[in-house]
Amino acid sequence: MTTDPTVSAPAVSAPAEVALRDLATADSLLLALDFDGVLAPLQDDPSTSRMVPESAAAIAALARLPHTRVALVSGRDIATLRQLSQAPDGAWLIGSHGAEAELEGGAHGASAPVVRSPELTPAEAEMLTAIDAHLDAFEHTLPGGHGTSDFLIEAKPYSRTVHTRGIAAEAAAALHGHATEVVEEFPDIRVIEGHDITELAVKQATKGDGIRLLARAGEPTAMGYLGDDVTDEDAFAALDELTDSRALDSGLTLKVGSAQTCASWRIADPTAVAALLDRLAAERTEFLRSVDS
Ligand SMILES: O=P(O)(O)OC[C@H]1O[C@H](O[C@H]2O[C@H](CO)[C@@H](O)[C@H](O)[C@H]2O)[C@H](O)[C@@H](O)[C@@H]1O
């Protein structure tokens, strides 16, 4: 373990140190993974995000194993997540921070697919329109003559994500401050903070809801979740609740990076994630081979 006084508990572990035995030897494993910052290193341009090739290979190997399910849980909308991640066949997808789901084949592959892509209610559509109008008005408020077109605003089905990566601190703070003001008129708009983003969402689902849906649909005996951002804390908490209530025999929560967390384990970055996933794929393959022979 690396002891770095600037990183709060848990300390950073090397991929070889993380206790994977309960996942590798589970009767039924569901491994859920955040995309940006975990499988894919963070990029200035969100459309260029791609999985680390070793992680892609490891989750493809895991997805081919019996009694083993891989799921991606992301703030991206599902269409974008599917396109960028090139997730392996059989992988389940949770998008829009838990509001969208595509789970093909339920527990043991027998149940009907779960597809969740809810319509906007009239009130939500009104809020999204108000968000767009509010963000457009930014050009009149930023010192220095910058306008909305100088910044990246990502349009997603249930939200708008204002990107501030690479922007001068003063402009980023002004943009963030302006974006969140819309909540004064529409308190049901949810402000989601992330790495250099401020997201304004009109659905209330969280990644915790995504984790609970995955557990219900997959009926695993063990689950793991890897995440790097603020929104992943909802997923960690949900997984801990499932483990504490004995809905699962075992659960592993793992934070990627140095931010505060309620997860039990921490590793450094997406390169370490790739090494960890490679190890899990090898150990689970070996375990399943041993029980099969
Ligand atoms: O839940 P995630 O899969 O981690 O998605 C969260 C957000 O990811 C994207 O933004 C982040 O990654 C970008 C590309 O590396 C980076 O430029 C940005 O600073 C990060 O916050 C995505 O663009 C958002 O829509 C997601 O909500």
Side-chain angles (χ1 to χ4, degrees):
M1 249 178 231
T2 308
T3 309
D4 176 348
T6 64
V7 175
S8 54
V12 178
S13 293
E17 294 171 320
V18 179
L20 292 180
R21 185 177 166 73
D22 286 351
L23 299 190
T25 63
D27 288 346
S28 168
L29 170 65
L30 197 156
L31 179 68
L33 301 152
D34 179 28
F35 180 65
D36 292 281
V38 171
L39 294 172
L42 294 177
Q43 308 289 333
D44 287 348
D45 177 354
S47 71
T48 64
S49 297
R50 298 290 182 275
M51 272 197 228
V52 172
E54 292 80 4
S55 285
I59 66 170
L62 283 162
R64 283 194 296 270
L65 293 174
H67 315 295
T68 307
R69 179 76 68 176
V70 172
L72 304 191
V73 179
S74 178
R76 303 270 191 169
D77 61 86
I78 278 193
T80 306
L81 180 64
R82 183 174 292 290
Q83 185 241 322
L84 293 179
S85 70
Q86 302 283 302
D89 284 350
W92 283 354
L93 302 182
I94 301 283
S96 295
H97 302 290
E100 292 180 290
E102 271 186 24
L103 322 182
E104 290 184 20
H108 321 300
S111 316
V114 176
V115 177
R116 196 175 276 181
S117 182
E119 297 286 318
L120 288 171
T121 66
E124 290 165 349
E126 186 194 351
M127 287 192 283
L128 215 44
T129 301
I131 291 168
D132 285 336
H134 182 77
L135 293 176
D136 269 352
F138 182 63
E139 57 191 309
H140 304 297
T141 63
L142 184 67
H146 295 285
T148 313
S149 58
D150 295 328
F151 306 106
L152 174 60
I153 296 174
E154 196 182 348
K156 300 196 276 191
Y158 312 124
S159 67
R160 301 292 182 256
T161 303
V162 179
H163 286 258
T164 53
R165 182 171 296 274
I167 294 176
E170 189 191 6
L175 187 51
H176 171 82
H178 175 83
T180 55
E181 277 167 18
V182 71
V183 176
E184 290 165 19
E185 194 181 345
F186 293 92
D188 286 343
I189 291 173
R190 180 171 156 230
V191 177
I192 303 172
E193 309 283 358
H195 293 304
D196 300 298
I197 56 173
T198 302
E199 185 160 340
L200 302 166
V202 300
K203 297 245 180 238
Q204 304 303 320
T206 70
K207 288 188 176 182
D209 297 316
I211 290 293
R212 286 182 281 274
L213 177 62
L214 290 172
R216 276 198 307 278
E219 299 176 13
T221 56
M223 278 180 85
Y225 186 72
L226 275 62
D228 73 315
D229 215 339
V230 179
T231 54
D232 297 308
E233 297 298 318
D234 293 321
F236 295 140
L239 183 40
D240 281 343
E241 279 168 25
L242 290 166
T243 312
D244 292 347
S245 67
R246 303 203 179 276
L248 295 168
D249 293 342
S250 118
L252 178 134
T253 52
L254 189 147
K255 182 82 166 184
V256 180
S258 58
Q260 281 221 318
T261 188
C262 66
S264 300
W265 291 89
R266 183 192 297 282
I267 58 174
D269 54 28
T271 303
V273 170
L276 185 83
L277 294 176
D278 184 58
R279 206 190 120 207
L280 179 59
E283 291 182 16
R284 181 132 181 94
T285 302
E286 182 54 35
F287 167 74
L288 292 170
R289 205 173 277 148
S290 71
V291 293
D292 200 32
S293 59

